[in-house]
PDB file of all heavy atoms in Angstrom:
ATOM      1  N   GLY A 975      12.595 -12.824 -13.428  1.00  0.00           N
ATOM      2  CA  GLY A 975      11.524 -12.174 -14.166  1.00  0.00           C
ATOM      3  C   GLY A 975      11.928 -10.927 -14.903  1.00  0.00           C
ATOM      4  O   GLY A 975      11.168 -10.426 -15.734  1.00  0.00           O
ATOM      5  N   LEU A 976      13.132 -10.418 -14.665  1.00  0.00           N
ATOM      6  CA  LEU A 976      13.543  -9.173 -15.321  1.00  0.00           C
ATOM      7  C   LEU A 976      13.740  -9.379 -16.828  1.00  0.00           C
ATOM      8  O   LEU A 976      13.313  -8.530 -17.622  1.00  0.00           O
ATOM      9  CB  LEU A 976      14.845  -8.651 -14.702  1.00  0.00           C
ATOM     10  CG  LEU A 976      15.374  -7.334 -15.246  1.00  0.00           C
ATOM     11  CD1 LEU A 976      14.336  -6.211 -15.053  1.00  0.00           C
ATOM     12  CD2 LEU A 976      16.679  -6.957 -14.561  1.00  0.00           C
ATOM     13  N   ARG A 977      14.363 -10.478 -17.215  1.00  0.00           N
ATOM     14  CA  ARG A 977      14.565 -10.720 -18.661  1.00  0.00           C
ATOM     15  C   ARG A 977      13.233 -10.949 -19.354  1.00  0.00           C
ATOM     16  O   ARG A 977      13.008 -10.434 -20.449  1.00  0.00           O
ATOM     17  CB  ARG A 977      15.483 -11.909 -18.854  1.00  0.00           C
ATOM     18  CG  ARG A 977      16.947 -11.664 -18.440  1.00  0.00           C
ATOM     19  CD  ARG A 977      17.835 -12.845 -18.790  1.00  0.00           C
ATOM     20  NE  ARG A 977      19.231 -12.569 -18.460  1.00  0.00           N
ATOM     21  CZ  ARG A 977      19.802 -12.795 -17.291  1.00  0.00           C
ATOM     22  NH1 ARG A 977      19.058 -13.298 -16.278  1.00  0.00           N
ATOM     23  NH2 ARG A 977      21.084 -12.539 -17.080  1.00  0.00           N
ATOM     24  N   LEU A 978      12.361 -11.707 -18.736  1.00  0.00           N
ATOM     25  CA  LEU A 978      11.024 -11.941 -19.346  1.00  0.00           C
ATOM     26  C   LEU A 978      10.271 -10.634 -19.449  1.00  0.00           C
ATOM     27  O   LEU A 978       9.662 -10.326 -20.500  1.00  0.00           O
ATOM     28  CB  LEU A 978      10.243 -12.962 -18.491  1.00  0.00           C
ATOM     29  CG  LEU A 978       8.783 -13.172 -18.893  1.00  0.00           C
ATOM     30  CD1 LEU A 978       8.706 -13.747 -20.298  1.00  0.00           C
ATOM     31  CD2 LEU A 978       8.092 -14.099 -17.885  1.00  0.00           C
ATOM     32  N   GLY A 979      10.275  -9.851 -18.387  1.00  0.00           N
ATOM     33  CA  GLY A 979       9.594  -8.563 -18.427  1.00  0.00           C
ATOM     34  C   GLY A 979      10.164  -7.636 -19.461  1.00  0.00           C
ATOM     35  O   GLY A 979       9.433  -6.903 -20.157  1.00  0.00           O
ATOM     36  N   ALA A 980      11.498  -7.639 -19.605  1.00  0.00           N
ATOM     37  CA  ALA A 980      12.121  -6.779 -20.611  1.00  0.00           C
ATOM     38  C   ALA A 980      11.711  -7.213 -22.004  1.00  0.00           C
ATOM     39  O   ALA A 980      11.502  -6.365 -22.887  1.00  0.00           O
ATOM     40  CB  ALA A 980      13.633  -6.826 -20.451  1.00  0.00           C
ATOM     41  N   ALA A 981      11.608  -8.516 -22.233  1.00  0.00           N
ATOM     42  CA  ALA A 981      11.177  -8.996 -23.546  1.00  0.00           C
ATOM     43  C   ALA A 981       9.742  -8.585 -23.864  1.00  0.00           C
ATOM     44  O   ALA A 981       9.438  -8.112 -24.950  1.00  0.00           O
ATOM     45  CB  ALA A 981      11.340 -10.524 -23.640  1.00  0.00           C
ATOM     46  N   VAL A 982       8.874  -8.752 -22.882  1.00  0.00           N
ATOM     47  CA  VAL A 982       7.461  -8.351 -23.069  1.00  0.00           C
ATOM     48  C   VAL A 982       7.380  -6.843 -23.255  1.00  0.00           C
ATOM     49  O   VAL A 982       6.639  -6.350 -24.146  1.00  0.00           O
ATOM     50  CB  VAL A 982       6.631  -8.808 -21.885  1.00  0.00           C
ATOM     51  CG1 VAL A 982       5.188  -8.296 -22.012  1.00  0.00           C
ATOM     52  CG2 VAL A 982       6.605 -10.327 -21.784  1.00  0.00           C
ATOM     53  N   GLY A 983       8.120  -6.087 -22.452  1.00  0.00           N
ATOM     54  CA  GLY A 983       8.087  -4.643 -22.598  1.00  0.00           C
ATOM     55  C   GLY A 983       8.630  -4.203 -23.929  1.00  0.00           C
ATOM     56  O   GLY A 983       8.094  -3.267 -24.541  1.00  0.00           O
ATOM     57  N   GLY A 984       9.691  -4.834 -24.411  1.00  0.00           N
ATOM     58  CA  GLY A 984      10.235  -4.492 -25.715  1.00  0.00           C
ATOM     59  C   GLY A 984       9.246  -4.780 -26.833  1.00  0.00           C
ATOM     60  O   GLY A 984       9.117  -3.974 -27.778  1.00  0.00           O
ATOM     61  N   ALA A 985       8.571  -5.934 -26.744  1.00  0.00           N
ATOM     62  CA  ALA A 985       7.573  -6.275 -27.763  1.00  0.00           C
ATOM     63  C   ALA A 985       6.431  -5.286 -27.742  1.00  0.00           C
ATOM     64  O   ALA A 985       5.928  -4.853 -28.798  1.00  0.00           O
ATOM     65  CB  ALA A 985       7.062  -7.683 -27.514  1.00  0.00           C
ATOM     66  N   SER A 986       5.991  -4.871 -26.576  1.00  0.00           N
ATOM     67  CA  SER A 986       4.904  -3.881 -26.475  1.00  0.00           C
ATOM     68  C   SER A 986       5.349  -2.527 -27.055  1.00  0.00           C
ATOM     69  O   SER A 986       4.568  -1.876 -27.767  1.00  0.00           O
ATOM     70  CB  SER A 986       4.461  -3.700 -25.031  1.00  0.00           C
ATOM     71  OG  SER A 986       3.975  -4.922 -24.492  1.00  0.00           O
ATOM     72  N   LEU A 987       6.577  -2.127 -26.745  1.00  0.00           N
ATOM     73  CA  LEU A 987       7.065  -0.873 -27.274  1.00  0.00           C
ATOM     74  C   LEU A 987       7.176  -0.925 -28.783  1.00  0.00           C
ATOM     75  O   LEU A 987       6.810   0.058 -29.481  1.00  0.00           O
ATOM     76  CB  LEU A 987       8.424  -0.563 -26.643  1.00  0.00           C
ATOM     77  CG  LEU A 987       9.081   0.760 -27.062  1.00  0.00           C
ATOM     78  CD1 LEU A 987       8.197   1.932 -26.681  1.00  0.00           C
ATOM     79  CD2 LEU A 987      10.457   0.897 -26.414  1.00  0.00           C
ATOM     80  N   LEU A 988       7.654  -2.040 -29.328  1.00  0.00           N
ATOM     81  CA  LEU A 988       7.769  -2.160 -30.782  1.00  0.00           C
ATOM     82  C   LEU A 988       6.389  -2.107 -31.420  1.00  0.00           C
ATOM     83  O   LEU A 988       6.201  -1.448 -32.449  1.00  0.00           O
ATOM     84  CB  LEU A 988       8.454  -3.487 -31.128  1.00  0.00           C
ATOM     85  CG  LEU A 988       8.631  -3.792 -32.619  1.00  0.00           C
ATOM     86  CD1 LEU A 988       9.481  -2.704 -33.279  1.00  0.00           C
ATOM     87  CD2 LEU A 988       9.232  -5.171 -32.797  1.00  0.00           C
ATOM     88  N   THR A 989       5.423  -2.781 -30.815  1.00  0.00           N
ATOM     89  CA  THR A 989       4.045  -2.752 -31.339  1.00  0.00           C
ATOM     90  C   THR A 989       3.510  -1.324 -31.336  1.00  0.00           C
ATOM     91  O   THR A 989       2.863  -0.863 -32.291  1.00  0.00           O
ATOM     92  CB  THR A 989       3.143  -3.650 -30.522  1.00  0.00           C
ATOM     93  OG1 THR A 989       3.658  -4.985 -30.525  1.00  0.00           O
ATOM     94  CG2 THR A 989       1.704  -3.661 -31.068  1.00  0.00           C
ATOM     95  N   LEU A 990       3.779  -0.613 -30.250  1.00  0.00           N
ATOM     96  CA  LEU A 990       3.305   0.765 -30.147  1.00  0.00           C
ATOM     97  C   LEU A 990       3.952   1.659 -31.205  1.00  0.00           C
ATOM     98  O   LEU A 990       3.299   2.515 -31.791  1.00  0.00           O
ATOM     99  CB  LEU A 990       3.607   1.294 -28.736  1.00  0.00           C
ATOM    100  CG  LEU A 990       2.839   2.528 -28.280  1.00  0.00           C
ATOM    101  CD1 LEU A 990       1.331   2.256 -28.261  1.00  0.00           C
ATOM    102  CD2 LEU A 990       3.296   2.934 -26.884  1.00  0.00           C
ATOM    103  N   VAL A 991       5.227   1.446 -31.440  1.00  0.00           N
ATOM    104  CA  VAL A 991       5.935   2.237 -32.450  1.00  0.00           C
ATOM    105  C   VAL A 991       5.388   1.956 -33.846  1.00  0.00           C
ATOM    106  O   VAL A 991       5.244   2.865 -34.652  1.00  0.00           O
ATOM    107  CB  VAL A 991       7.455   1.957 -32.367  1.00  0.00           C
ATOM    108  CG1 VAL A 991       8.169   2.586 -33.557  1.00  0.00           C
ATOM    109  CG2 VAL A 991       8.022   2.490 -31.080  1.00  0.00           C
ATOM    110  N   LEU A 992       5.087   0.677 -34.120  1.00  0.00           N
ATOM    111  CA  LEU A 992       4.575   0.351 -35.448  1.00  0.00           C
ATOM    112  C   LEU A 992       3.149   0.841 -35.655  1.00  0.00           C
ATOM    113  O   LEU A 992       2.748   1.142 -36.773  1.00  0.00           O
ATOM    114  CB  LEU A 992       4.633  -1.180 -35.630  1.00  0.00           C
ATOM    115  CG  LEU A 992       6.048  -1.786 -35.702  1.00  0.00           C
ATOM    116  CD1 LEU A 992       5.914  -3.299 -35.829  1.00  0.00           C
ATOM    117  CD2 LEU A 992       6.820  -1.212 -36.879  1.00  0.00           C
ATOM    118  N   LEU A 993       2.381   0.915 -34.566  1.00  0.00           N
ATOM    119  CA  LEU A 993       1.000   1.383 -34.685  1.00  0.00           C
ATOM    120  C   LEU A 993       0.912   2.843 -35.077  1.00  0.00           C
ATOM    121  O   LEU A 993      -0.055   3.278 -35.698  1.00  0.00           O
ATOM    122  CB  LEU A 993       0.236   1.170 -33.386  1.00  0.00           C
ATOM    123  CG  LEU A 993      -0.204  -0.290 -33.115  1.00  0.00           C
ATOM    124  CD1 LEU A 993      -0.895  -0.360 -31.751  1.00  0.00           C
ATOM    125  CD2 LEU A 993      -1.133  -0.793 -34.187  1.00  0.00           C
ATOM    126  N   GLY A 994       1.942   3.613 -34.724  1.00  0.00           N
ATOM    127  CA  GLY A 994       1.938   5.042 -35.042  1.00  0.00           C
ATOM    128  C   GLY A 994       1.861   5.294 -36.552  1.00  0.00           C
ATOM    129  O   GLY A 994       0.935   5.967 -37.034  1.00  0.00           O
ATOM    130  N   PRO A 995       2.804   4.762 -37.339  1.00  0.00           N
ATOM    131  CA  PRO A 995       2.715   4.953 -38.803  1.00  0.00           C
ATOM    132  C   PRO A 995       1.450   4.359 -39.414  1.00  0.00           C
ATOM    133  O   PRO A 995       0.889   4.947 -40.326  1.00  0.00           O
ATOM    134  CB  PRO A 995       3.968   4.242 -39.304  1.00  0.00           C
ATOM    135  CG  PRO A 995       4.910   4.227 -38.158  1.00  0.00           C
ATOM    136  CD  PRO A 995       4.053   4.109 -36.938  1.00  0.00           C
ATOM    137  N   LEU A 996       1.000   3.194 -38.898  1.00  0.00           N
ATOM    138  CA  LEU A 996      -0.223   2.602 -39.453  1.00  0.00           C
ATOM    139  C   LEU A 996      -1.419   3.506 -39.237  1.00  0.00           C
ATOM    140  O   LEU A 996      -2.262   3.656 -40.130  1.00  0.00           O
ATOM    141  CB  LEU A 996      -0.440   1.224 -38.819  1.00  0.00           C
ATOM    142  CG  LEU A 996       0.550   0.121 -39.186  1.00  0.00           C
ATOM    143  CD1 LEU A 996       0.225  -1.166 -38.401  1.00  0.00           C
ATOM    144  CD2 LEU A 996       0.506  -0.153 -40.685  1.00  0.00           C
ATOM    145  N   THR A 997      -1.496   4.086 -38.046  1.00  0.00           N
ATOM    146  CA  THR A 997      -2.598   5.004 -37.771  1.00  0.00           C
ATOM    147  C   THR A 997      -2.515   6.232 -38.675  1.00  0.00           C
ATOM    148  O   THR A 997      -3.542   6.729 -39.188  1.00  0.00           O
ATOM    149  CB  THR A 997      -2.557   5.425 -36.301  1.00  0.00           C
ATOM    150  OG1 THR A 997      -2.625   4.269 -35.467  1.00  0.00           O
ATOM    151  CG2 THR A 997      -3.717   6.336 -35.959  1.00  0.00           C
ATOM    152  N   ALA A 998      -1.300   6.735 -38.880  1.00  0.00           N
ATOM    153  CA  ALA A 998      -1.149   7.903 -39.756  1.00  0.00           C
ATOM    154  C   ALA A 998      -1.553   7.583 -41.171  1.00  0.00           C
ATOM    155  O   ALA A 998      -2.209   8.406 -41.862  1.00  0.00           O
ATOM    156  CB  ALA A 998       0.313   8.374 -39.721  1.00  0.00           C
ATOM    157  N   VAL A 999      -1.217   6.380 -41.672  1.00  0.00           N
ATOM    158  CA  VAL A 999      -1.595   5.965 -43.026  1.00  0.00           C
ATOM    159  C   VAL A 999      -3.116   5.900 -43.146  1.00  0.00           C
ATOM    160  O   VAL A 999      -3.715   6.341 -44.124  1.00  0.00           O
ATOM    161  CB  VAL A 999      -0.939   4.640 -43.379  1.00  0.00           C
ATOM    162  CG1 VAL A 999      -1.524   4.074 -44.660  1.00  0.00           C
ATOM    163  CG2 VAL A 999       0.566   4.801 -43.505  1.00  0.00           C
ATOM    164  N   ARG A1000      -3.762   5.321 -42.122  1.00  0.00           N
ATOM    165  CA  ARG A1000      -5.223   5.225 -42.165  1.00  0.00           C
ATOM    166  C   ARG A1000      -5.884   6.597 -42.185  1.00  0.00           C
ATOM    167  O   ARG A1000      -6.859   6.821 -42.903  1.00  0.00           O
ATOM    168  CB  ARG A1000      -5.718   4.430 -40.941  1.00  0.00           C
ATOM    169  CG  ARG A1000      -5.375   2.916 -41.035  1.00  0.00           C
ATOM    170  CD  ARG A1000      -5.945   2.197 -39.860  1.00  0.00           C
ATOM    171  NE  ARG A1000      -7.402   2.303 -39.828  1.00  0.00           N
ATOM    172  CZ  ARG A1000      -8.160   1.804 -38.862  1.00  0.00           C
ATOM    173  NH1 ARG A1000      -7.608   1.212 -37.835  1.00  0.00           N
ATOM    174  NH2 ARG A1000      -9.462   1.927 -38.923  1.00  0.00           N
ATOM    175  N   ARG A1001      -5.324   7.527 -41.414  1.00  0.00           N
ATOM    176  CA  ARG A1001      -5.892   8.869 -41.396  1.00  0.00           C
ATOM    177  C   ARG A1001      -5.696   9.553 -42.751  1.00  0.00           C
ATOM    178  O   ARG A1001      -6.588  10.278 -43.232  1.00  0.00           O
ATOM    179  CB  ARG A1001      -5.243   9.705 -40.300  1.00  0.00           C
ATOM    180  CG  ARG A1001      -5.647   9.285 -38.893  1.00  0.00           C
ATOM    181  CD  ARG A1001      -4.900  10.107 -37.843  1.00  0.00           C
ATOM    182  NE  ARG A1001      -5.321   9.748 -36.506  1.00  0.00           N
ATOM    183  CZ  ARG A1001      -4.736  10.193 -35.387  1.00  0.00           C
ATOM    184  NH1 ARG A1001      -3.683  11.008 -35.490  1.00  0.00           N
ATOM    185  NH2 ARG A1001      -5.163   9.816 -34.210  1.00  0.00           N
ATOM    186  N   ARG A1002      -4.551   9.310 -43.348  1.00  0.00           N
ATOM    187  CA  ARG A1002      -4.279   9.938 -44.664  1.00  0.00           C
ATOM    188  C   ARG A1002      -5.233   9.373 -45.703  1.00  0.00           C
ATOM    189  O   ARG A1002      -5.777  10.094 -46.535  1.00  0.00           O
ATOM    190  CB  ARG A1002      -2.823   9.696 -45.044  1.00  0.00           C
ATOM    191  CG  ARG A1002      -2.347  10.580 -46.184  1.00  0.00           C
ATOM    192  CD  ARG A1002      -0.853  10.417 -46.432  1.00  0.00           C
ATOM    193  NE  ARG A1002      -0.079  10.837 -45.279  1.00  0.00           N
ATOM    194  CZ  ARG A1002       0.626  10.013 -44.526  1.00  0.00           C
ATOM    195  NH1 ARG A1002       0.641   8.707 -44.795  1.00  0.00           N
ATOM    196  NH2 ARG A1002       1.335  10.469 -43.507  1.00  0.00           N
ATOM    197  N   ARG A1003      -5.458   8.074 -45.665  1.00  0.00           N
ATOM    198  CA  ARG A1003      -6.385   7.450 -46.608  1.00  0.00           C
ATOM    199  C   ARG A1003      -7.795   7.955 -46.369  1.00  0.00           C
ATOM    200  O   ARG A1003      -8.563   8.201 -47.311  1.00  0.00           O
ATOM    201  CB  ARG A1003      -6.361   5.919 -46.460  1.00  0.00           C
ATOM    202  CG  ARG A1003      -5.075   5.282 -46.982  1.00  0.00           C
ATOM    203  CD  ARG A1003      -5.167   3.777 -46.830  1.00  0.00           C
ATOM    204  NE  ARG A1003      -6.318   3.248 -47.581  1.00  0.00           N
ATOM    205  CZ  ARG A1003      -6.782   2.002 -47.471  1.00  0.00           C
ATOM    206  NH1 ARG A1003      -6.178   1.163 -46.638  1.00  0.00           N
ATOM    207  NH2 ARG A1003      -7.806   1.602 -48.176  1.00  0.00           N
ATOM    208  N   SER A1004      -8.158   8.119 -45.091  1.00  0.00           N
ATOM    209  CA  SER A1004      -9.480   8.608 -44.771  1.00  0.00           C
ATOM    210  C   SER A1004      -9.683  10.029 -45.276  1.00  0.00           C
ATOM    211  O   SER A1004     -10.748  10.412 -45.726  1.00  0.00           O
ATOM    212  CB  SER A1004      -9.730   8.520 -43.266  1.00  0.00           C
ATOM    213  OG  SER A1004     -10.976   9.044 -42.927  1.00  0.00           O
ATOM    214  N   ALA A1005      -8.604  10.862 -45.206  1.00  0.00           N
ATOM    215  CA  ALA A1005      -8.682  12.237 -45.678  1.00  0.00           C
ATOM    216  C   ALA A1005      -8.853  12.267 -47.193  1.00  0.00           C
ATOM    217  O   ALA A1005      -9.522  13.150 -47.733  1.00  0.00           O
ATOM    218  CB  ALA A1005      -7.455  13.020 -45.257  1.00  0.00           C
ATOM    219  N   ARG A1006      -8.191  11.354 -47.922  1.00  0.00           N
ATOM    220  CA  ARG A1006      -8.283  11.316 -49.382  1.00  0.00           C
ATOM    221  C   ARG A1006      -9.622  10.775 -49.863  1.00  0.00           C
ATOM    222  O   ARG A1006     -10.067  11.100 -50.959  1.00  0.00           O
ATOM    223  CB  ARG A1006      -7.136  10.475 -49.942  1.00  0.00           C
ATOM    224  CG  ARG A1006      -5.771  11.107 -49.735  1.00  0.00           C
ATOM    225  CD  ARG A1006      -4.687  10.177 -50.273  1.00  0.00           C
ATOM    226  NE  ARG A1006      -3.348  10.753 -50.062  1.00  0.00           N
ATOM    227  CZ  ARG A1006      -2.216  10.115 -50.371  1.00  0.00           C
ATOM    228  NH1 ARG A1006      -2.282   8.880 -50.878  1.00  0.00           N
ATOM    229  NH2 ARG A1006      -1.050  10.687 -50.157  1.00  0.00           N
ATOM    230  N   HIS A1007     -10.230   9.901 -49.049  1.00  0.00           N
ATOM    231  CA  HIS A1007     -11.482   9.243 -49.468  1.00  0.00           C
ATOM    232  C   HIS A1007     -12.526   9.489 -48.364  1.00  0.00           C
ATOM    233  O   HIS A1007     -12.739   8.649 -47.510  1.00  0.00           O
ATOM    234  CB  HIS A1007     -11.277   7.730 -49.668  1.00  0.00           C
ATOM    235  CG  HIS A1007     -10.176   7.435 -50.641  1.00  0.00           C
ATOM    236  ND1 HIS A1007     -10.345   7.510 -51.998  1.00  0.00           N
ATOM    237  CD2 HIS A1007      -8.889   7.022 -50.434  1.00  0.00           C
ATOM    238  CE1 HIS A1007      -9.210   7.177 -52.617  1.00  0.00           C
ATOM    239  NE2 HIS A1007      -8.305   6.865 -51.688  1.00  0.00           N
ATOM    240  N   PRO A1008     -13.184  10.649 -48.435  1.00  0.00           N
ATOM    241  CA  PRO A1008     -14.195  10.963 -47.400  1.00  0.00           C
ATOM    242  C   PRO A1008     -15.293   9.922 -47.322  1.00  0.00           C
ATOM    243  O   PRO A1008     -15.911   9.742 -46.263  1.00  0.00           O
ATOM    244  CB  PRO A1008     -14.720  12.325 -47.832  1.00  0.00           C
ATOM    245  CG  PRO A1008     -13.643  12.889 -48.707  1.00  0.00           C
ATOM    246  CD  PRO A1008     -13.022  11.728 -49.400  1.00  0.00           C
ATOM    247  N   ALA A1009     -15.589   9.242 -48.418  1.00  0.00           N
ATOM    248  CA  ALA A1009     -16.681   8.268 -48.388  1.00  0.00           C
ATOM    249  C   ALA A1009     -16.387   7.138 -47.405  1.00  0.00           C
ATOM    250  O   ALA A1009     -17.286   6.586 -46.784  1.00  0.00           O
ATOM    251  CB  ALA A1009     -16.903   7.713 -49.807  1.00  0.00           C
ATOM    252  N   LEU A1010     -15.070   6.806 -47.273  1.00  0.00           N
ATOM    253  CA  LEU A1010     -14.725   5.747 -46.314  1.00  0.00           C
ATOM    254  C   LEU A1010     -14.993   6.202 -44.884  1.00  0.00           C
ATOM    255  O   LEU A1010     -15.359   5.386 -44.023  1.00  0.00           O
ATOM    256  CB  LEU A1010     -13.247   5.376 -46.469  1.00  0.00           C
ATOM    257  CG  LEU A1010     -12.859   4.756 -47.826  1.00  0.00           C
ATOM    258  CD1 LEU A1010     -11.345   4.513 -47.860  1.00  0.00           C
ATOM    259  CD2 LEU A1010     -13.621   3.454 -48.058  1.00  0.00           C
ATOM    260  N   ARG A1011     -14.829   7.488 -44.615  1.00  0.00           N
ATOM    261  CA  ARG A1011     -15.019   8.006 -43.292  1.00  0.00           C
ATOM    262  C   ARG A1011     -16.496   8.082 -42.916  1.00  0.00           C
ATOM    263  O   ARG A1011     -16.873   7.863 -41.778  1.00  0.00           O
ATOM    264  CB  ARG A1011     -14.366   9.392 -43.170  1.00  0.00           C
ATOM    265  CG  ARG A1011     -14.450   9.965 -41.771  1.00  0.00           C
ATOM    266  CD  ARG A1011     -13.683  11.261 -41.638  1.00  0.00           C
ATOM    267  NE  ARG A1011     -14.280  12.328 -42.461  1.00  0.00           N
ATOM    268  CZ  ARG A1011     -13.705  12.851 -43.503  1.00  0.00           C
ATOM    269  NH1 ARG A1011     -12.514  12.462 -43.889  1.00  0.00           N
ATOM    270  NH2 ARG A1011     -14.284  13.831 -44.193  1.00  0.00           N
ATOM    271  N   THR A1012     -17.336   8.397 -43.891  1.00  0.00           N
ATOM    272  CA  THR A1012     -18.759   8.607 -43.607  1.00  0.00           C
ATOM    273  C   THR A1012     -19.610   7.378 -43.881  1.00  0.00           C
ATOM    274  O   THR A1012     -20.801   7.403 -43.684  1.00  0.00           O
ATOM    275  CB  THR A1012     -19.292   9.764 -44.470  1.00  0.00           C
ATOM    276  OG1 THR A1012     -19.106   9.459 -45.868  1.00  0.00           O
ATOM    277  CG2 THR A1012     -18.554  11.058 -44.129  1.00  0.00           C
ATOM    278  N   ALA A1013     -18.994   6.305 -44.363  1.00  0.00           N
ATOM    279  CA  ALA A1013     -19.790   5.124 -44.677  1.00  0.00           C
ATOM    280  C   ALA A1013     -20.419   4.550 -43.423  1.00  0.00           C
ATOM    281  O   ALA A1013     -19.792   4.418 -42.391  1.00  0.00           O
ATOM    282  CB  ALA A1013     -18.880   4.054 -45.330  1.00  0.00           C
TER     283      ALA A1013
END
Side-chain angles (χ1 to χ4, degrees):
L976 182 59
R977 290 185 176 89
L978 173 62
V982 175
S986 299
L987 181 61
L988 179 61
T989 303
L990 197 61
V991 170
L992 293 177
L993 283 177
L996 291 177
T997 303
V999 170
R1000 290 183 61 184
R1001 288 177 178 173
R1002 195 174 297 113
R1003 288 182 59 191
S1004 178
R1006 292 178 181 176
H1007 304 283
L1010 296 176
R1011 184 174 66 247
T1012 59

